[in-house]
Amino acid sequence: MVERRNEDLTDGLDRLRRHASTAARRPLAPFCDELLAGMLTADNDDDTALVALRLSVP
């Protein structure tokens, strides 16, 4: 999700941070859907894996 040809990895991590912070308060499934929609390009032909975990703070 963060790696793209001809782009620095830091740019991809910054993009991930922006998309994640925008959707962070949503329930987990919509959060993941929104993150994938925002991060993947239309011509993505690479395998993508996303593991998400939300911890409850007492």
Side-chain angles (χ1 to χ4, degrees):
M1 284 183 12
V2 295
E3 293 180 323
R4 292 187 182 167
R5 288 181 187 96
N6 302 319
E7 182 181 79
D8 189 78
L9 182 60
T10 304
D11 295 335
L13 292 171
D14 288 340
R15 188 173 40 255
L16 175 62
R17 189 177 304 110
R18 284 192 312 273
H19 285 289
S21 66
T22 299
R25 299 202 187 283
R26 298 190 52 131
L28 194 57
F31 168 80
C32 292
D33 291 341
E34 220 171 289
L35 198 59
L36 288 171
M39 292 296 296
L40 299 179
T41 60
D43 62 346
N44 182 47
D45 62 352
D46 202 359
D47 293 342
T48 302
L50 173 64
V51 177
L53 173 70
R54 180 161 286 157
L55 300 175
S56 297
V57 178

